[in-house]
Amino acid sequence: MNDLDIALVGQTSLPGLCPIAEAVQQLATDSGRDERGAIFTRKEVVDFMLDLVGYSADQDLTSARLLEPSFGGGEFVVAAVARLVESWKRRGCVADLAACIYAVELHQSTFEATRESVRAKLKELGFEAAEAARLTQAWLHFGDFLLAPIPGRFDFVVGNPPYVRQELIPAALLEEYRRRFSTLYDRADLYVPFIERSLNLLAESGQMTFICADRWTKNKYGGPLRAKSPAGSHCEPLSI
Ligand SMILES: C[S@@+](CC[C@H](N)C(=O)[O-])C[C@H]1O[C@@H](n2cnc3c(N)ncnc32)[C@H](O)[C@@H]1O
């Protein structure tokens, strides 16, 4: 069984699985950039966003959990790893870092390439190959963020979710997303349920920062997402 089969089997508690699994498999192995919404973020933007939420090495990052829902080429993950390891070194290298990062990617070859980049980064930071492989395996998850079971809550959620118009989402998958996410309303783009699921996974005093279009803050399809903003939460749109 390869990584793809394992990831899809992890999502088989779905009624009417086959067309959904087929659609996910198609996206994972044979989709273009538009269908996956694959546009990667520049390092300076990533650093700005990690600073914005306070994910910095002078904090104790070894006891925090960070989620990247669609990691692509890994710009957020690699920058987060560098900050996490720096924080860990400042605290005497005692904590196990396996639970500190959880990152998901749907596209198989993108997943595999980024897995190599993260291993290489860990080796550059002084980790033995076996430990680099163990941590990378614990951190990087292959699958559909909107369908995969994800344990626990996160203190930080960061990323740049996929922007995909509904016309490009396979019908069976769109139906399953609609069944699970009330914010996938009217013509809502795929980034909208990404925000919903990320908010659901955010710890009570957690911090989340996403690159996204601001259309949902004003238009019809953004209504259910706006209504979801938890009391006491603060949403600050920034133009950069
Ligand atoms: C806009 S890119 C951003 C990548 C990365 N976060 C960054 O900022 O550079 C979106 C990524 O989401 C992935 N993706 C698309 N649908 C997904 C899904 N349902 N679950 C997880 N990842 C997905 C795409 O393959 C692509 O790599």
Side-chain angles (χ1 to χ4, degrees):
M1 195 178 264
N2 66 26
D3 282 350
L4 177 61
D5 296 328
I6 291 165
L8 295 177
V9 168
Q11 297 170 176
T12 55
S13 58
L14 302 169
L17 168 74
C18 287
I20 299 169
E22 266 171 33
V24 174
Q25 177 144 14
Q26 171 93 11
L27 285 170
T29 56
D30 188 22
S31 58
R33 284 184 162 258
D34 285 352
E35 290 155 282
R36 287 180 285 120
I39 298 168
F40 298 164
T41 308
R42 293 199 314 272
K43 184 171 178 356
E44 58 271 28
V45 177
V46 168
D47 284 334
F48 171 81
M49 290 169 66
L50 290 175
D51 288 346
L52 195 66
V53 290
Y55 196 82
S56 53
D58 57 354
Q59 303 297 311
D60 181 7
L61 302 180
T62 66
S63 55
R65 295 187 79 213
L66 176 138
L67 171 68
E68 214 292 29
S70 54
F71 63 73
E75 245 354 305
F76 282 96
V77 175
V78 169
V81 167
R83 290 173 184 225
L84 172 62
V85 170
E86 174 63 27
S87 170
W88 177 73
K89 286 179 177 169
R90 290 184 193 189
R91 280 159 186 82
C93 304
V94 284
D96 182 1
L97 303 180
C100 295
I101 293 177
Y102 197 103
V104 184
E105 170 56 47
L106 175 65
H107 188 241
Q108 187 168 20
S109 60
T110 302
F111 172 89
E112 288 166 358
T114 301
R115 182 172 57 190
E116 290 317 305
S117 308
V118 173
R119 280 191 193 154
K121 183 70 187 176
L122 282 168
K123 287 187 208 156
E124 180 194 313
L125 292 168
F127 288 78
E128 299 289 342
E131 181 63 353
R134 183 185 76 88
L135 289 174
T136 306
Q137 189 174 7
W139 292 341
L140 304 188
H141 301 268
F142 177 48
D144 184 332
F145 173 67
L146 296 177
L147 303 182
I150 298 180
R153 297 282 182 128
F154 295 87
D155 306 288
F156 299 94
V157 182
V158 295
N160 180 5
Y163 308 86
V164 182
R165 292 191 316 279
Q166 286 184 20
E167 302 79 71
L168 294 178
I169 302 174
L173 200 52
L174 182 60
E175 194 183 323
E176 180 60 24
Y177 290 160
R178 278 193 190 279
R179 200 179 65 76
R180 292 176 178 233
F181 299 102
S182 60
T183 60
L184 193 42
Y185 166 71
D186 191 53
R187 306 302 309 148
D189 190 283
L190 190 64
Y191 75 85
V192 172
F194 263 71
I195 297 178
E196 177 180 348
R197 181 145 208 222
S198 299
L199 284 172
N200 290 343
L201 289 167
L202 194 62
E204 207 162 302
S205 53
Q207 299 280 334
M208 175 168 146
T209 178
F210 266 178
I211 296 176
C212 73
D214 65 358
R215 285 190 287 279
W216 70 272
T217 61
K218 301 173 198 119
N219 68 7
K220 180 177 174 194
Y221 78 54
L225 181 59
R226 290 195 297 277
K228 265 192 104 55
S229 297
S233 72
H234 175 64
C235 175
E236 188 176 358
L238 285 176
S239 299
I240 51 173

